[in-house]
Amino acid sequence: MPPESQEQTSIHGLRGLISKTAHKTAVLSSLVAALFAVPASAAHASEMSDINKLMRAGQYAEALTKTDAVLAKHPRDAQLRFTKGLILAEQNRSAEAIAVFTKLTEDFPDLPEPYNNLAVLYAADGQYDKARAALDMAMRTNPTYATALENLGDVYAKLASQAYDKALQIDPGANVPQPKLTLLRSLNGNTTGGTVPRLASAASTQRDAKAKAEAAAAEQQERNRALAAEKLAQQAAADKAEAEKTAIAKATSDKEKAAADKAAADKAAAEKAAADKAAADKAAAEKAAAERAKAEKARAEQLAAEQARAQKAAADQAAAEQKQKELQAQKDKEQADKLAREQAARAEKEKAAQAAAEKAKADKLAAAEKAKADKLAAAEKAKADKARADKEKAKAEASAEQDKATVLAALNGWAKAWSDKDVRSYLGHYASDFETPRGASRKEWAEERRARIEDKGRISVKVSNATVSINGNIATVRYRQIYNSDRLTVDSRKTLIFVKQGNRWLIKQERSGG
C-alpha cells in the first residue's frame, strides 16, 4: 500500500469579529481550497486571486461583480459562495449575507464556517438566540472547533447581560449604574494563511466558555440581590414615613408633637440605615465584579501563553525535521560515493589480474616453445581455449555488473520520477504485466496512482542500501525507502521485482519488507 494512503487531513475554522455597538461585521477570513476537497484549475485560482485583491483594496462592488460572473460558470463552488457572503457583509448588506450563508449550510451541512458567520451576523443584529442556535450547529459539525466554543461563551454572556438589563426595569428611577460589560470580544482568526494550530485541549476551551457564562450569570444575581435589597429598604422607609405622617396629623398636644418629633427622628435613622445597607451591598457587588474581571484576565493570559508554547513547539519540530532531512541526504551521498569507489577498485583489480594472467600465459608459451617444439600446436590450442574461456567469463561478469547498474539506474529513475511528480515517467517504469494490488485493473491502478501523486504539494523519495540479484531476465532489488511529503514521512524496507523487456528493466511486482 503506498504510504500516502495513510495520510489524514484536518479542517480548521475561521473567526469573526462581533461588536455590541458596530453594525459593520468584520468576517475577514477565507476558506482554503483544500477545505472543500475540490481541486481548482489554474484559471479558477487566478480568478479567486483577483477577487481577493479587490477585497483587500476595499473595492467590494467590483469584487462582488467579478464573484457573480465566476459563480455563473461555477454555481456550486462553495468557496466562491462563501466569498460572496463576506463581500455582502462588508457592504452592510446583512440580510443578503445571511441568505448566502444559510444556503451554504443547507448545501454543505458538514462545514462549520458558514454556521459561525451566521452567528456573527445574527449577534451584530442583536438576535442572540439565533446566534446561539447557529453556533450549536457549528459545534455539531466539529465538537473541537475552538472558535465556535469561544463565540458561544460570548453569546451566553450577552444573553445574561440582557437578562440583567430587564431586571433593572423593576425600578426605572433607581440610581443603579449600568453594567460595564465588554461582550463578544475580538476573536483572532487564521491570519497566517495556513491552518490554525490546535488548542492544547478542546475541553479546556469549553470550560473557559462555560466559566464566562457562569461568571456573567453570577454577576447578574449579585446585582439583582443588591437591587431587591435597596427596593425593600426604600419600601420599608416609605411605609414607616406614612405611619409617622398619620401620627403627626392626629397629634393634639405637646406630648403628641414630641412623639411626632421622635417618629421623624426614627424615620431619618431608618432611612440612613437603609442607605448605608444599599451602599454596602453595591460595594460588595462591585468588588465581586472586579474579582471576576481579574480572574477572566488571568485565564486569557494563560490561554495566550499556551498558544505561544504550541507555536514554538511546532517551529522546533519543523527545524528538527529539516535537520534530519539534511543529515539523511548527506548520508545517502556518502553511501553513493563509497559504492562508486568500490566499483572502481574492483574494476582495477580485475584489470590487473587479467594482465598478470596474460603475462603468465606468454611466459609459459615461450618456455614450452623452447623446451618442446613438437608440442607447439597443443600448447597453442590450450592457450586459445583458456583465453576464450577467460574472455567469456569476463564478458559474463561485465554483463552481470552492467545489468545490475542498469537495474539500479531504473530504480533511481523511478524514485526521481515519483519525487518530481512526473506521473507519465513514473508509470512508464512498470511492466505491462505488473501485478497490481488487490486485483485492480491496470487502468484503475494507474488512475489511482496519478491522483495520489498529483494531490501532494511536495514529494521526496530516497532509496539507499540497495542490493540486486539477477536470475536470467528477472532481477530482485531489496532496498531502504524514505518517503516524505507535505503530509507524511515513512522509512521502510521495500522489495521490487524487475523483468527485462527488450533493453529495459521494468517493475513487475512490489512488496513491503526485505
Side-chain angles (χ1 to χ4, degrees), residues 123-202:
D125 196 35
Q127 301 182 61
Y128 295 102
D129 286 331
K130 287 187 176 181
R132 178 182 59 190
L135 289 171
D136 284 340
M137 292 301 297
M139 292 301 302
R140 290 184 186 179
T141 65
N142 185 358
T144 62
Y145 188 24
T147 301
L149 282 171
E150 294 185 18
N151 283 349
L152 189 58
D154 285 340
V155 169
Y156 275 127
K158 184 58 182 178
L159 288 170
S161 175
Q162 287 182 334
Y164 178 65
D165 290 340
K166 289 181 180 178
L168 290 181
Q169 295 174 7
I170 296 173
D171 186 1
N175 186 18
V176 180
Q178 290 294 318
K180 297 180 180 179
L181 299 178
T182 304
L183 296 176
L184 307 177
R185 292 172 287 277
S186 171
L187 300 171
N188 295 325
N190 179 13
T191 58
T192 61
T195 59
V196 180
R198 286 188 178 273
L199 297 181
S201 168

Side-chain angles (χ1 to χ4, degrees), residues 322-480:
Q322 181 62 29
K323 184 176 181 181
Q324 184 176 2
K325 290 178 186 177
E326 294 173 354
L327 291 174
Q328 185 59 47
Q330 180 64 26
K331 183 177 179 181
D332 291 343
K333 182 177 183 301
E334 291 174 354
Q335 289 178 343
D337 292 343
K338 181 180 178 181
L339 180 61
R341 288 194 298 270
E342 290 175 351
Q343 290 177 341
R346 281 198 300 272
E348 190 65 28
K349 184 177 180 180
E350 290 171 358
K351 181 178 179 182
Q354 184 178 359
E358 290 177 353
K359 184 176 183 301
K361 291 176 192 176
D363 293 343
K364 184 178 180 180
L365 180 60
E369 287 177 346
K370 183 177 180 181
K372 297 180 180 181
D374 56 325
K375 293 183 179 180
L376 178 61
E380 287 290 342
K381 184 177 182 301
K383 177 183 175 183
D385 290 343
K386 187 169 182 11
R388 186 164 51 254
D390 290 342
K391 185 176 181 181
E392 290 295 331
K393 181 180 179 181
K395 182 177 180 181
E397 292 176 350
S399 178
E401 289 298 323
Q402 184 177 0
D403 282 345
K404 288 183 179 181
T406 303
V407 170
L408 286 173
L411 174 66
N412 290 323
W414 168 77
K416 184 177 185 302
W418 192 358
S419 298
D420 294 341
K421 297 173 65 177
D422 185 353
V423 179
R424 181 176 180 182
S425 176
Y426 170 83
L427 295 176
H429 282 80
Y430 288 83
S432 58
D433 57 346
F434 169 69
E435 297 178 12
T436 60
R438 300 182 300 278
S441 68
R442 173 64 181 248
K443 182 178 180 181
E444 291 173 342
W445 169 82
E447 290 300 321
E448 181 184 9
R449 296 303 299 143
R450 178 183 300 277
R452 290 184 179 281
I453 291 173
E454 292 179 347
D455 183 51
K456 308 300 178 296
R458 173 184 58 78
I459 296 177
S460 172
V461 181
K462 300 291 186 180
V463 298
S464 61
N465 300 335
T467 60
V468 181
S469 60
I470 298 176
N471 184 9
N473 288 334
I474 302 297
T476 301
V477 182
R478 295 178 174 84
Y479 66 99
R480 178 187 179 195

Side-chain angles (χ1 to χ4, degrees), residues 192-229:
T192 61
T195 59
V196 180
R198 286 188 178 273
L199 297 181
S201 168
S204 175
T205 305
Q206 190 170 12
R207 285 195 300 272
D208 288 344
K210 182 178 179 183
K212 275 199 215 171
E214 290 176 350
E219 184 175 352
Q220 174 196 339
Q221 292 175 357
E222 290 290 340
R223 296 196 180 187
N224 283 345
R225 282 196 293 269
L227 182 61

Side-chain angles (χ1 to χ4, degrees), residues 7-186:
E7 296 179 357
Q8 297 178 352
T9 60
S10 57
I11 300 175
H12 302 283
L14 56 80
R15 293 184 177 183
L17 295 176
I18 306 176
S19 173
K20 164 171 84 170
T21 57
H23 175 66
K24 185 176 180 181
T25 305
V27 280
L28 299 178
S29 297
S30 64
L31 288 175
V32 294
L35 182 63
F36 306 104
V38 179
S41 64
H44 190 183
S46 176
E47 291 168 337
M48 283 303 304
S49 177
D50 293 341
I51 293 171
N52 289 333
K53 288 179 181 177
L54 291 171
M55 292 177 66
R56 287 194 296 271
Q59 300 177 22
Y60 296 110
E62 294 83 350
L64 182 60
T65 300
K66 186 165 184 65
T67 302
D68 286 337
V70 181
L71 273 173
K73 296 183 289 183
H74 307 283
R76 287 280 299 169
D77 191 302
Q79 183 176 356
L80 280 168
R81 292 164 63 182
F82 188 86
T83 301
K84 181 176 181 179
L86 298 181
I87 296 172
L88 291 171
E90 287 296 335
Q91 292 180 315
N92 292 329
R93 296 161 67 176
S94 298
E96 296 174 70
I98 288 173
V100 171
F101 289 128
T102 300
K103 192 66 172 67
L104 268 176
T105 63
E106 296 170 357
D107 294 343
F108 300 92
D110 292 333
L111 295 180
E113 287 76 9
Y115 290 114
N116 184 75
N117 278 15
L118 277 174
V120 170
L121 294 170
Y122 284 143
D125 196 35
Q127 301 182 61
Y128 295 102
D129 286 331
K130 287 187 176 181
R132 178 182 59 190
L135 289 171
D136 284 340
M137 292 301 297
M139 292 301 302
R140 290 184 186 179
T141 65
N142 185 358
T144 62
Y145 188 24
T147 301
L149 282 171
E150 294 185 18
N151 283 349
L152 189 58
D154 285 340
V155 169
Y156 275 127
K158 184 58 182 178
L159 288 170
S161 175
Q162 287 182 334
Y164 178 65
D165 290 340
K166 289 181 180 178
L168 290 181
Q169 295 174 7
I170 296 173
D171 186 1
N175 186 18
V176 180
Q178 290 294 318
K180 297 180 180 179
L181 299 178
T182 304
L183 296 176
L184 307 177
R185 292 172 287 277
S186 171

